[in-house]
Amino acid sequence: MPQLAITGGSPVRSNPFPTWPVVSEADVEAVTQAIRDGEWGRMAGSHALDFEREFAAYQGAEYCLALNSGTSALEIGLLAIGIEPGDEVILSPYTYIASAAAILMSGGVPVFVDIDPDTYNIDPSKIEAAITDRTAAIMPVHFAGLACDMGAIGEIARRHGLKIIEDAAHVHGGKWNDAGLGTLGDAGAFSFQSSKNLNSGEGGALLTNDREVFARAIDYHDVWTGGLVERGGDAGGGSFRAGARWDFPFACHNFRISSYTAALLRSQLSKLEAQTVSRTENGKYLIDLIDQTEGLANLRRDSFATRDSHHLFLLKYKKESFDGLPREMFVEALKAEGIPASLGYPRGCHEQPLFLKPEAYLSRFWPRGRRGEVDIDYASISCPNVEYLCRNETVWLPQYALLDTRRGMEQIVEAADKIRAHVAELASAEVSV
């Protein structure tokens, strides 16, 4: 009789993990009231301003600008910290394509540096070798919610006169040495896309402690400095600073957030701390369980990572403990046991067609050199740690799984143990992935 659920046995868990997003009547009422108010746009509504104040306070920043996406936050943040056409920005390729795309769309040039295989974050010891006379900034990506080594990265940036923009898309509530992530560099960009720990379907925000960066960000988000006026500021410029002025100093996109989206974010933000505590506590418990589970391993969590926000829980899969079972089959077997799991990215950003086939698109707007000529050979870039984990090692568990009970954490490792104990069933079964 088969034991594994994928071959016909009973699953470890039959009831689903918590659904996402977590919707309450308070969320519905918040959006409904914002619609009833009739102040739907950013300039008329107050919900965006209220959210900015609340989210800045939550993460520990002086200023917050709410936007329509995390990608917008990265792009505007890069412009606001002074990225010029052709400037190089260093980042890890183990990230969503938006990180690199925002650099390109702001006129910069992405320079990929490999990760530390024990943390999946950029390896500070490899950064200086990538610095040239064109390097302007470093973009640490706090992947999955685990803090990068901001002490080492900050020291490198200071030594070379570089700016820091944090890709904080995964770190709502996350901390480095008890300071909120996204507040440690010159700017930090957050996403509120559907999967994120703070979610409004689409949305983003830029945090900064620098008033001038904030003022420029407001201009770049729609040529409007009204946000500073609302805060009692006196920064000039922008078409809506005074009612009769229509002065447009430069071209930019419209990245404004709607008032009712901000209203939803305010309601969701009221739940975030309790959810983050739950993810943190369950994450610590699951880490201890994984440490005792043959064939699985944890990432290294350094002492400076004082709160992991666990946008994802990442496992290292060791197929030698599963008689060489391919990772793809292991993940399918986990899912059959009732555990929401995925393989994650199949390749790093540096291996995307955007960079490997520059003639197809990249050359159309490459920001330096002769028109149409991309002067970096991305095909020659090697990031072996990223390439290995994408093809062989990583298993992702979604953030909402950590909103379950401790029993749910135990079932995750029970499912893995069950697969390892009965792995021979998979070798003989006709199961496709």
Side-chain angles (χ1 to χ4, degrees), residues 24 32 53 62 92 118 131 154 171 234 236 286 290-291 318 342 365 370 375:
S24 69
T32 301
R53 289 168 171 154
E62 288 291 323
S92 156
D118 292 326
I131 294 174
V171 292
D234 56 3
L286 183 54
I290 295 297
D291 281 341
K318 308 297 183 182
S342 68
F365 63 96
R370 295 178 59 184
D375 60 354

Side-chain angles (χ1 to χ4, degrees), residues 24-234:
S24 69
E25 282 304 310
D27 299 323
V28 176
E29 179 56 30
V31 175
T32 301
Q33 187 58 51
I35 293 173
R36 286 174 177 155
D37 289 344
E39 297 180 342
W40 297 357
R42 163 69 209 235
M43 288 176 289
S46 63
H47 291 291
L49 179 58
D50 289 338
F51 170 74
E52 288 166 345
R53 289 168 171 154
E54 292 163 5
F55 188 62
Y58 181 75
Q59 285 297 128
E62 288 291 323
Y63 305 105
C64 172
L65 179 64
L67 300 157
N68 62 0
S69 74
T71 308
S72 300
L74 284 170
E75 183 177 340
I76 289 171
L78 287 159
L79 293 169
I81 66 174
I83 296 299
E84 299 285 346
D87 283 351
E88 294 177 356
V89 180
I90 291 172
L91 77 161
S92 156
Y94 195 58
T95 182
Y96 187 56
I97 191 64
S99 306
I103 296 170
L104 291 167
M105 298 307 292
S106 67
V109 172
V111 174
F112 296 110
V113 169
D114 206 1
I115 61 163
D116 180 333
D118 292 326
T119 66
Y120 290 2
N121 282 329
I122 193 168
D123 187 340
S125 71
K126 294 181 168 66
I127 290 176
E128 287 194 279
I131 294 174
T132 72
D133 58 1
R134 294 179 171 182
T135 306
I138 304 170
M139 181 186 288
V141 180
H142 306 293
F143 195 78
L146 182 63
C148 291
D149 187 346
M150 295 303 293
I153 292 169
E155 176 56 32
I156 293 168
R158 285 188 292 273
R159 193 159 58 243
H160 293 274
L162 306 178
K163 300 291 188 180
I164 294 176
I165 179 166
E166 297 172 75
D167 184 332
H170 292 179
V171 292
H172 318 78
K175 295 183 179 182
W176 173 88
N177 282 338
D178 295 324
L181 292 169
T183 72
L184 305 169
D186 297 277
F190 286 79
S191 170
F192 307 133
Q193 180 268 344
S194 298
S195 70
K196 300 302 188 293
N197 295 18
L198 179 59
N199 160 37
S200 56
E202 302 293 346
L206 186 75
L207 297 187
T208 184
N209 294 314
D210 188 318
R211 182 179 175 78
E212 293 305 313
V213 169
F214 180 56
R216 287 193 294 271
I218 292 173
D219 275 341
Y220 282 120
H221 109 294
D222 76 336
V223 200
W224 177 55
T225 53
L228 278 180
V229 175
E230 289 170 348
R231 293 165 174 80
D234 56 3

Side-chain angles (χ1 to χ4, degrees), residues 323-345:
D323 291 348
L325 181 73
R327 181 179 55 131
E328 292 79 3
M329 180 64 77
F330 173 73
V331 167
E332 290 303 310
L334 266 185
K335 288 158 65 176
E337 297 296 339
I339 309 302
S342 68
L343 296 169
Y345 301 139

